[in-house]
Structures are given as C-alpha cells and as structure tokens.
Amino acid sequence: MSSTIAEKLLLYKLRVKQDPEAYAALYDIYVKQIYRFVFFKVSSHEEAEDITSEVFLKAWHYIQDNKEIKSFSGLLYRMARNCIIDLYRLKASKPEVYTEEPVEIGDGGQWYADLNTNIEAKKIIHVLKKLKQEYQEIITLKYVDELEISEIAEITGKGQIAVRVTLHRALKKLKEIMAQN
Amino acid sequence: MSRNLIRQLKQLKHGEVSPRAEWLKESRSVLLSQIKNTISDIPSVRLLDKTWSALSIFLPKPVVYNIVRPVALLLVVVITATTAYSGTVKASYETLPGDWLYSAKRATEKTQVTVASIMGDKNTETKLHVEFAKRRAAETRQMVQSGDPGRSAQLTATVADLKTEINSINSKLEETKQNSSNMQAQVVKDVKQNSEEIKNVLQEVKNNLSVSTTTADKILSKEVSETKDLIKDVSNNALEVMVTKHLEGDLGISKEEVKQEISNSLRNSASDAVESKQNVDGAKTAMEAAKTEVKDLVGGGQNNLGLATKEITDKIATVANQTVAAVIKTEAGAAELGKRITEANVLLNNDDLAKAVDKMKEAGQVTKDMEQISDNTIEKTQTVLPIVQVIKEVSAVTNGGTLPNSSTTVGLLLLISTTTTSTNPTSTTAVTTTANLPKSPVLLEDPKLIK
C-alpha cells in the first residue's frame, strides 16, 4: 500500500512539475520486472533490452499527453505486450534464423557459484518458453515478479477469477512438461 | 513437486533472467537524456487544469471530471451567490430612503416580520417592530440633518412608516394589556427603553426642523410632533403593562424597576414642560421687543410702507397678545404639572404603583398640551418676525444704511428659531419654572426607595 502511495506521489510530481528525476525513480522500481516480462517472450537478452527501453520511453510520452493512468505498472505491462506484438509482426515479415540461447561465457565466478541453480534455471526457462503465451505470462507475473492476482488481472485485461483459473491450468501444464522432460 | 517448481520459478528473478547491471545504468541515462529533451516542448498547462489532472492521479479520472469538478464548481457558485446576498442585505442596513439598496432593506424587514408572525412569536414580532421603528427614526434624523430638499417626499413617507411601526407596537401592547401572558417582561422593558430613545431622536428631528421656514418642513414638523405623541403613548402603555405584570407577580419586573421608570417618565415630563415654557417665554420676549421696535420705526415716521403699516402693527400686536396668553397658559400648565408630579411621587412612596401610573399619564397629558401651546406660539411668531425684519431693513435703507438695534433683533430671531435654552436671556424664567416643579431627583435619593 505504501509503495502505491509512493508511486502516486512520484506520478504527481511527474505530471505537475514535469520532474525527470521522478520518472527515473519509477524506472528504477519497474525496470527489472518489465525486463523479465519481456525476456520470457522474446528470444534474446538484446531484444529484451531494446523493448524495455522502448517501453519506458513510450510510457513517458503517454504521461506527457495527460492521459489517464489507473496504474503505472499496468500501463508499463500493457505497453510491453504491445511492443512484443509489434516485434513478432516484424519478425513474421522478415524471417530470421532462430538461434539457441547463447552460453554466457564471461560470467566469471558467478557462473561457478550458481552452477546448480543456473542449470535448474536454464531448464525451467526452456520449459517456460514451451508454454503458450497466455500461460507463460501469468506464471512469470505471479511467481517471478510476485504480483497480486488483482494486479495481474489489470495487466492482462482479464477478470480476477479468470486469472486464477488460468494460473491453475498453467501450473498444471508446466508440471506436465517438466514430468515429460 | 508443485512447491519445488514455484521455488525454482522465484529463483529466476535473481539469476538468469535479470537484466545486466551495466545495461540498466546505460539505459537509465539514455532515457533521462531523451526525456529532458522533450520537456521544453511541453506546453504550459493552466493551473486549474493541472489541479484536475493531478487529482485524477489519486482518484479515478471519471470521478474527478464527472463528480469532483462539477461539485467544486457548484460550491463556488453557491458560495458566491450566498455571500453576495448577505453582502447586499448587510450593505443595505446603512441605506436611507431613496438609496439604491433601501428597498432591499425594507424587503428584508418585511420578511422578518412575516416569518415572526407566521411562527406566532409575538415577542420577536414586537422586538422587530421596535427595532424597525428605531431605524425609521434614525433615518428621519439622518435625512433631516443632511438637509437635502429632494428628499422631502421620502422623508414624509419615512415618518408615515415610523407611525405605522409605532401603531403596530401599540396594538401589541394593547393586546398584552388584555392578556398579559402575550409578552415577556424583558420585551416590555425593551419596548419602554427603546421608545424613550425614539422619542429623543424625534425631539432632535423637531429641533432641526424648527430652524427651517419652508411649508414642507412645517408640515413635517407637525407630523413628527404627532409621531412623538404616539411614541409617548407607547412608552406609557409599556409602563402600564410593566406595572400590570409586576402586580400579577411576574418576577421579571421588580418594584424598583417600575418605580425607577415611573420617576424617569415624570422627570421627562417635567423637563419637556420646562422646555415648552421657555420657548413660550422666549417668544413672548421676542414679540414684545419686535412690537416696540416697529412702533418706534412707525412712530418716527421713518418708513415708506404707507397704508400697510397699520395692518402690520395690528397683526404684530395680536400675535404679541397671543404669546402673552400662551405664557399664562403654560404657567398654569406648569402649576398643574407640578401638582400631578407631587401626587405621583407621594403615591410612589406609598408603593401604589397603579395609581402612580395614572398620575404619570395625566402629567404626560399636561406636558403634551404645553408642548402644543409652545408649538403654536412659535409658529405664530415665525409668521410675524420676518415681516418685522423686512420693515427694519426697509427703514434702514431709507435712513442711509444704519440698522437700528440690529444686534438685538438678530439675537431675538435666533432665540425664536432655536429651542435650546442654555444661552437664552430668559433663563430667569427657566429657573422659576423649575422651581415650581417638584424636585423629582429627590425620588432617586430617597433611601426608602433604594433598598
């Protein structure tokens, strides 16, 4: 609750005083979440980075147009989805060779330290990417970004009950795929 | 299985799918620079619009624009309207008849009376009538003092309104006489006190008017005198009601208060009588002086007035005789008044309040008669004295510019035209008159009364 009030105050500063620092603070809060959200839907870190930057720039222009904002996070996620859709369309018109996730070589000691988790993570990302878009989105929002059901409902444009049901099915499907592997 | 899966998913946050730290930094600075570039292009929004858009961050936009904004607007309109209305009413309190907002003032007053009478609150109604009578009297005084000749019609109307108000008060008092529970003791006292004030104001108006010689002012002066008599009746009636209430055992009115009021009334009657008598005496002195002066002029053969001379001297002589008669009458009146007041004081000392009030009323009647005589006398002398003045001026011109006895005449004219008596050469008569009258202040000093 306090975080939403802080967010509202930042938005107020942004709208009334045109304060770029306030927007930077909002960026700091949401950039990781949006990045992850994008990353699960695109093939590479590079694309995810590009799209995330684009999302934040678009959101800034949206605020400048003085349009209504119910929830800033909701706005960001909606914009991210649209940007991803745009990317898919672009890819569809310009076929591209699908490359496997490149192995991170320069990760140094970190890679060794998190070796076990990293392998696990890679496995689960692989599985997640096999899920259909809808399931993938809800699972990442719920468990990776740890959002509330109400927030997810807002982002995806569904009812809360529909979100719960989808989440349940997505989890079931995920388990199935894991079992198959 | 499920829990393990969720744990694995949660761990993703910290590992593989997080953005690179250097990218985060870089992207942040790029974004900020892009943002800063766009800021200067933003058109400045008006403060009010800014307020609404700021508010719509905290509340849903439809609520702000469909509910909060209309309500705020309505509030502004309502506040403006009400303050404008009360402001008008407030501003109208100071207005005089003929002013812009005077009708607003009267309308407010009428509404107040109507509301009070609908509510059946006789106390409030009486209080309002008293208050309005006070206002009318004050207005009359202000208009007379300003001396604006264009206001004479409004002045007459105001005096008529004042009479109406006084009559309303009187009828309320009469009702109370029939049924004394009609009015609270406090209200009766209020009426009594305020009627004295109104009377004083009217006396002032009358004094102001007596300076003037125009016909309109004379008529008005008569009206004011009548109104003054009316308010005296109100005062007496109020006193009577007070006595009745006291005798019926109303605790709101003590015996001391009633006695005090009666003795005040007696004293007022006495001082009014002294004033009347002084006026009449002054008139007599002035007329006698004028008579001898004119006789001298005519006898000396220094005028060219011809046939009119006899007529004028006759007229002057008649008026002079009338003033002498008036002096005799007022003297008789003063004696009568003295008797009544003494009787009233005796009754007061014996605590016979009802009879004391009767005596007081009789004394009031005598004073009224004396005032009547005084008014008539002044009026008559005022018709003659200007003629005397003209004769003197004419003879002065024929005598080569020397004005005989001019200072005396001007002094006498002044004497007639004003009723203030402090600097008046007839102060000796004033002293004798006062000597004839009972020493009403004794009443106050009587230790038996101030227990």
Side-chain angles (χ1 to χ4, degrees):
Chain A
M1 191 63 202
S2 64
S3 70
T4 54
I5 288 176
E7 188 190 307
K8 297 248 176 210
L9 276 175
L10 285 173
L11 277 173
Y12 170 78
K13 270 191 196 169
L14 197 57
R15 181 156 281 182
V16 176
K17 295 181 186 164
Q18 313 281 352
D19 186 2
E21 288 306 319
Y23 194 69
L26 284 170
Y27 171 88
D28 291 342
I29 296 172
Y30 289 109
V31 68
K32 285 184 182 170
Q33 287 183 30
I34 296 297
Y35 180 88
R36 278 194 294 268
F37 178 79
V38 176
F39 176 73
F40 285 115
K41 297 186 178 192
V42 295
S43 49
S44 68
H45 280 290
E46 286 72 27
E47 273 175 350
E49 284 169 1
D50 287 349
I51 287 178
T52 309
S53 301
E54 199 186 332
V55 165
F56 277 95
L57 196 61
K58 276 188 175 173
W60 166 260
H61 288 303
Y62 185 88
I63 291 167
Q64 292 307 308
D65 290 346
N66 232 348
K67 289 178 187 160
E68 191 196 358
I69 302 168
K70 264 188 197 160
S71 148
F72 185 66
S73 60
L75 174 78
L76 289 176
Y77 280 110
R78 261 202 323 278
M79 286 189 153
R81 286 174 101 194
N82 292 341
C83 287
I84 291 160
I85 291 167
D86 286 348
L87 184 78
Y88 287 163
R89 282 192 190 131
L90 201 73
K91 276 184 179 174
S93 62
K94 264 197 284 175
E96 198 181 328
V97 182
Y98 179 77
T99 52
E100 269 296 317
E101 189 69 17
V103 182
E104 302 272 348
I105 296 166
D107 210 7
Q110 180 74 30
W111 194 84
Y112 289 105
D114 299 336
L115 186 62
N116 266 333
T117 37
N118 222 347
I119 291 166
E120 245 179 15
K122 279 200 183 299
K123 208 168 112 190
I124 207 157
I125 289 166
H126 187 68
V127 174
L128 269 175
K129 290 203 170 178
K130 277 187 179 170
L131 281 175
K132 66 171 179 173
Q133 281 286 341
E134 193 189 4
Y135 289 171
Q136 193 193 81
E137 195 175 287
I138 285 194
I139 287 210
T140 50
L141 287 175
K142 175 68 187 167
Y143 296 112
V144 184
D145 293 332
E146 293 180 68
L147 296 181
E148 298 291 323
I149 296 289
S150 58
E151 288 172 291
I152 298 170
E154 211 178 283
I155 293 162
T156 53
K158 286 180 178 173
Q160 293 196 19
I161 293 169
V163 170
R164 277 176 205 280
V165 171
T166 318
L167 186 65
H168 181 75
R169 286 179 188 158
L171 214 55
K172 212 171 146 192
K173 187 80 189 165
L174 190 67
K175 276 186 217 159
E176 269 176 36
I177 297 170
M178 291 285 273
Q180 278 170 20
N181 287 355
Chain B
M1 174 72 186
S2 172
R3 198 171 287 171
N4 190 30
L5 194 64
I6 289 169
R7 186 186 52 79
Q8 284 179 13
L9 282 168
K10 283 186 179 172
Q11 272 177 358
L12 280 179
K13 199 189 219 175
H14 309 291
E16 186 61 17
V17 295
S18 285
R20 290 180 293 130
E22 57 268 40
W23 171 81
L24 275 181
K25 230 172 145 184
E26 196 187 327
S27 147
R28 191 180 192 270
S29 62
V30 170
L31 183 70
L32 269 181
S33 69
Q34 280 174 325
I35 283 171
K36 277 175 184 159
N37 287 340
T38 59
I39 278 181
S40 55
D41 305 338
I42 297 155
S44 63
V45 195
R46 280 186 306 148
L47 182 71
L48 211 58
D49 290 340
K50 257 187 195 174
T51 316
W52 301 129
S53 65
L55 208 60
S56 63
I57 292 171
F58 298 97
L59 292 167
K61 204 167 185 172
V63 172
V64 172
Y65 285 92
N66 297 336
I67 299 170
V68 177
R69 196 160 67 163
V71 166
L73 205 68
L74 199 71
L75 265 180
V76 169
V77 170
V78 167
I79 288 169
T80 317
T82 48
T83 49
Y85 171 73
S86 59
T88 313
V89 170
K90 221 175 189 178
S92 70
Y93 275 147
E94 298 297 316
T95 57
L96 292 177
D99 285 349
W100 247 64
L101 288 173
Y102 188 70
S103 49
K105 181 182 183 176
R106 292 306 299 271
T108 320
E109 289 180 359
K110 270 180 194 151
T111 320
Q112 279 177 294
V113 171
T114 318
V115 169
S117 72
I118 288 171
M119 303 289 281
D121 188 349
K122 290 229 167 67
N123 290 315
T124 317
E125 212 182 325
T126 316
K127 265 190 196 166
L128 285 174
H129 281 303
V130 171
E131 174 62 30
F132 300 155
K134 252 168 93 179
R135 283 189 202 166
R136 290 298 91 73
E139 284 163 14
T140 315
R141 175 172 59 183
Q142 236 176 311
M143 282 196 284
V144 169
Q145 275 171 355
S146 74
D148 184 355
R151 284 213 153 133
S152 71
Q154 282 135 0
L155 203 50
T156 323
T158 310
V159 175
D161 285 340
L162 173 57
K163 266 188 178 173
T164 323
E165 295 292 354
I166 293 172
N167 282 331
S168 308
I169 303 169
N170 229 347
S171 67
K172 287 275 171 297
L173 283 172
E174 293 291 342
E175 274 174 40
T176 314
K177 267 189 201 169
Q178 307 302 322
N179 175 15
S180 68
S181 60
N182 253 344
M183 225 183 264
Q184 285 169 355
Q186 191 51 49
V187 179
V188 184
K189 275 193 257 181
D190 198 42
V191 172
K192 169 81 181 129
Q193 206 179 349
N194 284 316
S195 59
E196 290 299 328
E197 275 175 39
I198 295 171
K199 203 183 87 187
N200 291 338
V201 171
L202 288 178
Q203 183 60 52
E204 223 177 293
V205 172
K206 217 175 122 185
N207 292 349
N208 278 326
L209 283 175
S210 65
V211 182
S212 165
T213 49
T214 60
T215 342
D217 281 349
K218 272 185 189 151
I219 295 167
L220 190 65
S221 177
K222 233 174 215 166
E223 285 286 317
V224 173
S225 294
E226 271 173 39
T227 321
K228 206 180 130 195
D229 290 344
L230 277 179
I231 197 76
K232 272 185 187 168
D233 286 346
V234 167
S235 174
N236 286 341
N237 273 338
L239 193 50
E240 231 173 308
V241 173
M242 277 173 81
V243 171
T244 322
K245 272 190 171 294
H246 172 68
L247 292 178
E248 280 174 1
D250 192 321
L251 294 173
I253 299 171
S254 67
K255 189 187 271 184
E256 276 66 36
E257 270 176 320
V258 178
K259 279 186 173 179
Q260 178 74 54
E261 289 294 350
I262 294 176
S263 72
N264 280 349
S265 288
L266 288 173
R267 210 172 339 168
N268 286 340
S269 299
S271 65
D272 285 352
V274 170
E275 211 167 287
S276 304
K277 187 152 175 29
Q278 282 170 354
N279 286 341
V280 174
D281 288 344
K284 186 188 144 200
T285 324
M287 280 315 297
E288 274 170 1
K291 211 168 108 182
T292 43
E293 237 175 298
V294 173
K295 214 180 244 171
D296 286 350
L297 289 173
V298 175
Q302 291 164 331
N303 70 86
N304 304 323
L305 294 171
L307 281 174
T309 318
K310 195 181 171 339
E311 214 173 296
I312 291 165
T313 40
D314 280 354
K315 199 173 178 190
I316 293 169
T318 325
V319 175
N321 287 339
Q322 277 169 343
T323 48
V324 172
V327 168
I328 295 166
K329 265 191 216 165
T330 46
E331 261 162 16
E336 173 100 10
L337 184 65
K339 218 173 96 192
R340 295 268 186 273
I341 292 176
T342 325
E343 281 169 359
N345 277 341
V346 171
L347 288 169
L348 268 185
N349 284 339
N350 295 336
D351 286 352
D352 195 344
L353 296 177
K355 279 188 183 160
V357 170
D358 287 342
K359 286 286 166 210
M360 185 208 77
K361 277 170 107 179
E362 283 172 24
Q365 190 56 46
V366 174
T367 317
K368 214 189 261 183
D369 291 345
M370 282 174 75
E371 274 179 5
Q372 191 75 43
I373 295 166
S374 151
D375 288 351
N376 286 340
T377 317
I378 288 175
E379 206 185 320
K380 273 177 194 150
T381 46
Q382 271 177 348
T383 55
V384 178
L385 283 176
I387 304 174
V388 178
Q389 185 69 27
V390 171
I391 294 172
K392 272 192 300 182
E393 272 167 23
V394 170
S395 55
V397 170
T398 48
N399 284 344
T402 48
L403 212 66
N405 286 334
S406 61
S407 58
T408 356
T409 326
V410 171
L412 287 170
L413 273 171
L414 277 175
L415 170 70
I416 296 307
S417 54
T418 158
T419 47
T420 47
T421 51
S422 54
T423 56
N424 157 340
T426 55
S427 54
T428 41
T429 37
V431 171
T432 41
T433 333
T434 330
N436 286 340
L437 296 168
K439 285 98 189 152
S440 38
V442 172
L443 193 65
L444 288 175
E445 291 148 20
D446 192 338
K448 269 184 280 174
L449 293 177
I450 319 172
K451 272 184 280 201

